[in-house]
Amino acid sequence: MAVETKAYVIGLLESYNNRMNQIALLHYELEHPTNVSPDEMIGAMSLGHGDGTARSKGHISNKTLYIALNYQEQADLVNAEAREEIVERLIELEREQEKLAYYITLLNDQQQETVIVRFYFEGRTWSDIARELHVVTRTVHKIKNRALDRLAAMYTFAEGPQK
């Protein structure tokens, strides 16, 4: 189980920046929703016969207003459902990011936090990190592995006992 959890943690770390981009995109979508105006919907409605022939000009069925209003209500419902899906996904991603960031701050060793943040979040190379910490690259990998083991233990603990 520990190997699976460690692989999960590595996956979370490797996809951290991608999730940050997804969160930014979802925030944009919520702030700038793409809704169709009533005029656009009515203009887009086909007022033709079922056989494909167009109605004569000037003839509007008495059902047209009812159809347009019903269509508006359905479009509003679809728009609301789309917003709900965006919010649900956004909350899920933000919780995942916050949990990971918090667990990283709980690492006992400052070097562990530094190595994880610089490599996975900032995209620094192992040799750059080693130079900054004044250690050899092999030591940086040992620090990283200890940090990954601790993070995996935190996730295992948080999940609780497995059945």
Side-chain angles (χ1 to χ4, degrees), residues 56-92:
S56 61
K57 292 185 178 183
H59 175 74
I60 296 177
S61 168
N62 59 357
K63 296 179 184 177
T64 302
L65 180 59
Y66 171 76
I67 293 169
L69 291 174
N70 188 36
Y71 188 74
Q72 177 67 46
E73 288 173 8
Q74 291 302 314
D76 289 344
L77 180 62
V78 169
N79 287 334
E81 289 172 356
R83 277 189 297 277
E84 283 180 33
E85 289 175 17
I86 290 172
V87 168
E88 286 175 14
R89 180 68 177 139
L90 181 60
I91 289 170
E92 175 187 329

Side-chain angles (χ1 to χ4, degrees), residues 81-130:
E81 289 172 356
R83 277 189 297 277
E84 283 180 33
E85 289 175 17
I86 290 172
V87 168
E88 286 175 14
R89 180 68 177 139
L90 181 60
I91 289 170
E92 175 187 329
L93 288 171
E94 287 180 336
R95 281 186 183 155
E96 200 169 75
Q97 292 296 80
E98 289 170 6
K99 182 177 183 177
L100 179 61
Y102 181 72
Y103 283 9
I104 290 170
T105 65
L106 294 178
L107 293 170
N108 291 343
D109 189 334
Q110 180 65 36
Q111 283 187 331
Q112 290 178 3
E113 182 178 351
T114 300
V115 167
I116 295 297
V117 169
R118 288 187 180 159
F119 180 74
Y120 289 105
F121 301 171
E122 297 174 5
R124 308 286 265 297
T125 66
W126 295 120
S127 57
D128 285 344
I129 296 168

Side-chain angles (χ1 to χ4, degrees), residues 1-73:
M1 181 58 105
V3 174
E4 292 173 4
T5 305
K6 189 171 180 177
Y8 173 72
V9 169
I10 291 170
L12 285 175
L13 290 166
E14 289 175 344
S15 61
Y16 181 86
N17 289 323
N18 185 41
R19 277 192 310 281
M20 289 304 291
N21 288 337
Q22 291 174 350
I23 288 169
L25 291 172
L26 291 172
H27 275 288
Y28 179 85
E29 290 300 320
L30 283 177
E31 293 169 11
H32 304 91
T34 52
N35 293 325
V36 178
S37 72
D39 291 339
E40 290 171 322
M41 283 193 285
I42 292 172
M45 290 177 57
S46 171
L47 300 177
H49 291 285
D51 60 3
T53 60
R55 292 189 184 267
S56 61
K57 292 185 178 183
H59 175 74
I60 296 177
S61 168
N62 59 357
K63 296 179 184 177
T64 302
L65 180 59
Y66 171 76
I67 293 169
L69 291 174
N70 188 36
Y71 188 74
Q72 177 67 46
E73 288 173 8

Side-chain angles (χ1 to χ4, degrees), residues 150-162:
R150 290 217 3 100
L151 288 170
M154 289 180 210
Y155 274 91
T156 300
F157 176 78
E159 291 174 5
Q162 300 295 320

